[in-house]
Amino acid sequence: MELQTQLKSLADKIYQLKDKIETEESTKHAFVLPFINSLGYDTFNPLEVVPEYVADIGIKKGEKVDYAIVQNGEPIMIIECKNWKENLTIHGSQLFRYFHVSKTRFALLTNGIQYQFFTDLDEKNKMDEKPFFEFDITNLKDSAINEVAKFHKSNFDINKILDNASSLKFIKEIRKQIDAEIEKPSPEFVRLFANKVYNGRLTEKVMDEFSELVQKAFGQLVGEKINERLHLALNKEVIIQEKDQIEESEISRVTTTDEELEAYRIVVAILRRKIPTHRIVHRDTQSYFGVLLDDNNRKPLCRLHLNGGKKYIGLFNENKNENRQLIETIDDIYNFENELLDTVSLYEIEN
């Protein structure tokens, strides 16, 4: 979760600053070094991150690659950087030349926005021409974050990454092939389905007809799948709205106690370290006293259960499930400072 937060923060920074970044050197400092930091490596420690890493090539001495991430004195990944305005192309890249003379198994080509990871799946000690994994940090998906996490200092395992790299490479190529077949079905692809549903001879005319039918069938199937997901999402939204309306109607029938307000002030005192106080709002219901972010029922910060004999504070996990913790007095709320601050982080990720 911390990595996800850091990458999202970096993406926001890129969006705000990129038009002011003019040079490759500025791209390195503003975009690439923070990315390396997010992987858990100290960019100020030359034993972990070496700038201008020297990789001698034959009789050519003093050749350098932009950065090398080092473990136990050996590079585990070399990094070549481009200006964020440049398109990434591996042709002519220094990474090819440096890869086979270093002991690394991984190379990264980046302009601070697009990231392409390479290894030597095709031929040992020779960098592949195609990346096995790539992503755009300004359009980051959960699946990409999971792959980036494998390069984090705390998770880094060469064998596990290499095992996964082969799968990623083939999945990427298969998806390209599927996309191409949906866009313009090949004769082999059309014949595969025609043979399953048509008993006659597959003449040229029949193949032409089935080529159009296969394309339409896949188009309809994809469209229906999208509509199903949208329908489910809309129904979920309606259910949430109805729940909000029910809870709002309950508010008019409750009495807020002095103890609940005092407990609320304790929660505010804790949370104001991370968010402005105007964003912290309370709503009292018949069953609990709720504290919300931005007055939004879908962003609960905590719930206080103070009127039923025993007292509880309800805390929320990343799935927004409430976990009640017993408290003796409202002063015990201070014991849950870290949990409350972590809850705020959940909604920062969503935004």
Side-chain angles (χ1 to χ4, degrees):
M1 185 171 297
E2 182 180 355
L3 175 62
Q4 186 179 31
T5 302
Q6 291 174 334
L7 294 178
K8 182 182 182 302
S9 177
L10 179 55
D12 292 340
K13 179 181 178 182
I14 290 171
Y15 180 79
Q16 295 169 9
L17 295 182
K18 67 179 183 178
D19 292 333
K20 301 178 179 65
I21 301 296
E22 298 293 337
T23 66
E24 179 181 304
E25 200 65 26
S26 297
T27 300
K28 292 180 190 177
H29 287 283
F31 301 158
V32 179
L33 286 177
F35 174 77
I36 296 173
N37 271 325
S38 72
L39 295 180
Y41 299 100
D42 183 358
T43 53
F44 294 102
N45 182 353
L47 298 179
E48 287 192 359
V49 180
V50 182
E52 299 295 310
Y53 181 75
V54 176
D56 292 336
I57 304 173
I59 62 173
K60 297 184 69 174
K61 303 297 181 181
E63 292 292 304
K64 299 175 181 178
V65 67
D66 290 315
Y67 299 104
I69 296 177
V70 176
Q71 276 188 2
N72 301 320
E74 298 291 347
I76 58 172
M77 182 160 63
I78 56 175
I79 303 171
E80 181 180 343
C81 305
K82 302 295 184 183
N83 189 306
W84 74 269
K85 297 178 182 179
E86 292 186 41
N87 293 324
L88 296 183
T89 173
I90 199 64
H91 298 294
S93 167
Q94 294 170 321
L95 287 178
F96 266 131
R97 301 197 298 273
Y98 297 151
F99 191 91
H100 78 277
V101 296
S102 71
K103 294 183 179 180
T104 186
R105 298 296 302 275
F106 302 106
L108 170 61
L109 178 64
T110 180
N111 59 10
I113 298 177
Q114 280 85 34
Y115 289 79
Q116 296 181 347
F117 291 80
F118 297 83
T119 188
D120 54 353
L121 294 173
D122 296 333
E123 187 176 341
K124 193 171 182 180
N125 297 325
K126 181 180 179 182
M127 194 178 85
D128 299 335
E129 290 196 10
K130 293 182 179 180
F132 68 88
F133 168 53
E134 58 186 312
F135 70 92
D136 183 326
I137 198 169
T138 62
N139 184 27
L140 203 55
K141 297 178 173 58
D142 289 342
S143 57
I145 294 172
N146 291 335
E147 296 305 324
V148 174
K150 294 181 174 68
F151 288 91
H152 195 278
K153 180 180 177 181
S154 62
N155 301 326
F156 192 86
D157 184 310
I158 291 177
N159 292 326
K160 287 183 179 179
I161 297 175
L162 287 173
D163 288 343
N164 190 54
S166 180
S167 297
L168 286 175
K169 175 184 175 181
F170 288 120
I171 288 172
K172 176 184 171 185
E173 294 304 316
I174 290 170
R175 290 183 59 167
K176 284 183 179 178
Q177 292 299 319
I178 292 173
D179 188 55
E181 292 289 2
I182 292 174
E183 184 69 24
K184 186 179 180 181
S186 66
E188 295 80 10
F189 193 68
V190 174
R191 189 172 287 109
L192 172 66
F193 293 98
N195 278 328
K196 292 179 180 295
V197 299
Y198 184 73
N199 295 324
R201 182 168 168 266
L202 296 179
T203 63
E204 183 177 349
K205 181 179 179 181
V206 172
M207 286 291 291
D208 287 342
E209 291 176 354
F210 267 95
S211 179
E212 184 177 347
L213 292 173
V214 168
Q215 187 176 27
K216 282 184 178 180
F218 269 88
Q220 290 172 2
L221 182 63
V222 171
E224 288 171 3
K225 292 294 183 184
I226 292 172
N227 286 333
E228 283 177 11
R229 294 204 170 201
L230 287 173
H231 182 69
L232 289 172
L234 289 171
N235 280 346
K236 185 177 180 181
E237 182 72 18
V238 169
I239 292 170
I240 291 172
Q241 289 176 354
E242 290 175 348
K243 183 178 178 182
D244 288 350
Q245 291 171 359
I246 292 171
E247 290 188 352
E248 287 171 0
S249 67
E250 290 178 348
I251 292 174
S252 61
R253 300 196 299 270
V254 300
T255 301
T256 301
T257 66
D258 291 338
E259 186 180 42
E260 287 172 330
L261 292 175
E262 181 62 26
Y264 169 67
R265 284 190 282 269
I266 292 174
V267 173
V268 171
I270 293 171
L271 296 178
R272 67 182 303 175
R273 301 171 196 172
K274 197 163 187 177
I275 51 176
T277 55
H278 72 268
R279 298 186 64 190
I280 309 168
V281 179
H282 69 77
R283 287 196 201 176
D284 201 355
T285 72
Q286 289 182 317
S287 53
Y288 61 83
F289 183 94
V291 182
L292 310 172
L293 179 64
D294 299 329
D295 201 16
N296 188 335
N297 268 350
R298 281 163 283 176
K299 295 182 178 182
L301 295 168
C302 70
R303 288 176 179 172
L304 302 170
H305 305 268
L306 306 178
N307 300 326
K310 291 185 178 180
K311 304 181 191 298
Y312 299 91
I313 180 172
L315 303 168
F316 290 87
N317 60 22
E318 58 186 11
N319 297 318
K320 298 183 184 177
N321 295 322
E322 183 184 4
N323 177 25
R324 293 189 186 187
Q325 298 291 329
L326 183 67
I327 57 177
E328 294 296 328
T329 70
I330 59 174
D331 288 333
D332 290 342
I333 294 172
Y334 286 109
N335 297 332
F336 300 95
E337 174 182 340
N338 292 335
E339 289 86 347
L340 288 167
L341 293 174
D342 286 345
T343 303
V344 176
S345 300
L346 296 178
Y347 305 122
E348 290 177 346
I349 292 171
E350 290 181 355
N351 292 333

